[in-house]
Amino acid sequence: MSLLDYFRSSKKNTASTAKERLQIIVAHERRRRTSPDYLPQLERDILEVIRKYVDIADDQVSVTLEKSSDELSVLELNVTFPEDKRG
Amino acid sequence: MAKIIVVTSGKGGVGKTTTSAAIGTGLALKGHKTVIVDFDIGLRNLDLIMGCERRVVYDFVNVINGEANLKQALIKDKRLDNLFILPASQTRDKDALHKEGVERVLNELSDEFDFIICDSPAGIESGAMMALYFADEAIVVTNPEVSSVRDSDRILGMLSSKSRRAEQGLPGIKEHLLLTRYNPERVQKGEMLSVDDVNDILAIKLLGVIPESQAVLNASNSGQPVILDADSDAGQAYLDTVSRLVGETVPFRFLNVEKKGLLKRIFGG
């Protein structure tokens, strides 16, 4: 890097942005890979039901199925409500 | 019994064929009888990279369909006695490769050779699935770039669920990461994912790092696998990679920026 470049380089470090984005999407896709095929449709259906009552965005519902042992799987449903839509 | 190694990536243009040619040639240089099989049906290119495009008579699909035998289809490398190429066909029929046919050809090759290198097409269609199905080991070629890393992770998922080893409950495919087109200057400036970054995300064993190099284009222009350019950085990095593949311990090179003189540092260049 030349001296001129040094004074110019106030840009954000894009490599760290890339790493953060990848960590999130890869973790998400790995979870999906190991979950049953019906899960995305289940997630959409749940979203539709909640939308009858509260206006929420697509990414405010997450459904995961985790296998905790050979005989037991836990379906976890996470819904984030917007601040002003509560109650 | 040959060891079957697939060179795969998901994403196109990351250096699968360059890597297949380099690693196959490198194994032959080390004295192992090696064949490189082009699985990219319809988009044959390994022949060009190996410099034998004018010598293709019969191809992989001809052998599967019984229109030629293996001896007729295998092309012997002009530089190395123990190196052979099985070219892909230029047919547009995507389903020309089927499991039974591929298995029969690989079994036959397995009796003759020490290593079978399967050069996979890009994507996750049937050609790519055929290339990885029978593999014992996989070299996942990745560029330090978001879409390539994501696609590599996808392919890792396929390796562990869609391969013969997975279906038959055998020990899994041994996975190796090969990072190509690596540019230490851009990594240092924070413009490119580092080896450690990619390793953190994919979490498989690092086999090699090939620096971005002018030698690669020069090699493909002239139909010489880049590993034969032993003076070049990319050639040396591939030689190291092949040594690691056969179990030698070799330190990693070309990961850091070469030190520049004071004048260069001030004025750039």
Side-chain angles (χ1 to χ4, degrees):
Chain A
M1 192 160 46
S2 76
L3 201 58
L4 267 179
D5 285 340
Y6 185 79
F7 290 115
R8 262 190 251 136
S9 69
S10 53
K11 276 179 295 175
K12 198 180 178 308
N13 182 332
T14 57
S16 57
T17 313
K19 186 177 183 185
E20 282 163 29
R21 292 174 60 215
L22 272 170
Q23 278 171 326
I24 293 165
I25 190 68
V26 164
H28 177 78
E29 286 174 348
R30 278 182 192 162
R31 240 180 287 126
R32 178 142 294 176
R33 220 182 277 156
T34 52
S35 65
D37 297 339
Y38 61 76
L39 218 58
Q41 187 56 46
L42 177 67
E43 191 171 319
R44 280 192 289 275
D45 288 351
I46 290 171
L47 191 69
E48 284 313 308
V49 172
I50 295 171
R51 274 205 183 129
K52 283 185 184 172
Y53 306 93
V54 187
D55 184 24
I56 57 168
D58 288 0
D59 59 358
Q60 285 173 295
V61 171
S62 86
V63 179
T64 54
L65 190 65
E66 268 179 44
K67 205 170 180 180
S68 48
S69 72
D70 276 347
E71 295 119 55
L72 189 70
S73 293
V74 178
L75 182 74
E76 193 183 286
L77 172 63
N78 256 301
V79 186
T80 326
F81 271 29
E83 272 304 312
D84 49 324
K85 301 277 164 54
R86 239 180 262 167
Chain B
M1 273 296 277
K3 194 174 267 183
I4 303 177
I5 303 177
V6 61
V7 176
T8 183
S9 70
K11 191 175 179 301
V14 296
K16 282 181 299 294
T17 302
T18 299
T19 296
S20 300
I23 290 194
T25 306
L27 288 167
L29 280 172
K30 280 191 175 290
H32 303 287
K33 194 171 182 195
T34 304
V35 58
I36 316 173
V37 184
D38 191 350
F39 276 77
D40 204 344
I41 304 303
L43 291 169
R44 167 163 84 208
N45 272 321
L46 178 70
D47 56 338
L48 266 182
I49 301 300
M50 293 297 294
C52 61
E53 70 277 10
R54 309 260 318 257
R55 295 164 60 212
V56 176
V57 183
Y58 293 108
D59 58 54
F60 195 4
V61 172
N62 290 141
V63 179
I64 287 178
N65 293 343
E67 294 149 6
N69 62 41
L70 257 180
K71 271 216 171 66
Q72 293 171 297
L74 284 173
I75 303 174
K76 188 168 184 280
D77 187 79
K78 283 204 163 149
R79 296 151 294 222
L80 297 164
D81 276 343
N82 53 354
L83 179 61
F84 291 78
I85 292 103
L86 183 57
S89 70
Q90 289 287 47
T91 168
R92 272 186 285 174
D93 178 11
K94 273 189 158 188
D95 302 316
L97 294 185
H98 48 83
K99 259 183 209 165
E100 297 71 32
V102 173
E103 183 170 28
R104 188 165 43 77
V105 174
L106 291 181
N107 280 341
E108 209 178 318
L109 288 171
S110 191
D111 295 334
E112 283 262 333
F113 290 91
D114 303 324
F115 285 97
I116 302 172
I117 307 294
C118 303
D119 183 18
S120 172
I124 50 172
E125 300 291 317
S126 68
M129 291 300 109
M130 282 304 148
L132 69 80
Y133 188 76
F134 297 98
D136 301 308
E137 300 193 15
I139 297 174
V140 180
V141 183
T142 308
N143 289 168
E145 180 271 326
V146 286
S147 46
S148 175
V149 175
R150 180 200 210 170
D151 290 357
S152 291
D153 191 68
R154 193 86 201 281
I155 282 293
L156 287 170
M158 307 271 175
L159 288 169
S160 59
S161 63
K162 301 272 191 267
S163 63
R164 183 180 63 100
R165 284 175 169 269
E167 282 181 5
Q168 299 184 352
L170 299 166
I173 293 176
K174 194 171 169 191
E175 301 157 337
H176 307 276
L177 173 64
L178 182 70
L179 209 53
T180 56
R181 310 197 72 162
Y182 196 69
N183 185 329
E185 282 90 16
R186 302 202 72 181
V187 172
Q188 197 182 52
K189 285 188 202 165
E191 294 175 353
M192 183 181 268
L193 291 165
S194 70
V195 177
D196 292 339
D197 291 339
V198 180
N199 243 338
D200 280 353
I201 294 159
L202 295 179
I204 56 171
K205 200 157 191 318
L206 183 66
L207 179 69
V209 180
I210 313 299
E212 169 106 82
S213 167
Q214 299 188 344
V216 174
L217 184 58
N218 283 330
S220 81
N221 283 343
S222 47
Q224 295 272 354
V226 70
I227 199 165
L228 294 175
D229 184 358
D231 294 331
S232 70
D233 48 358
Q236 290 171 14
Y238 272 118
L239 284 167
D240 290 356
T241 301
V242 172
S243 296
R244 287 186 206 106
L245 188 62
V246 296
E248 294 168 32
T249 307
V250 183
F252 287 89
R253 295 191 275 173
F254 315 109
L255 299 187
N256 298 308
V257 182
E258 318 162 31
K259 299 261 183 308
K260 284 180 185 169
L262 182 65
L263 282 176
K264 263 196 175 171
R265 262 199 243 179
I266 292 171
F267 296 108

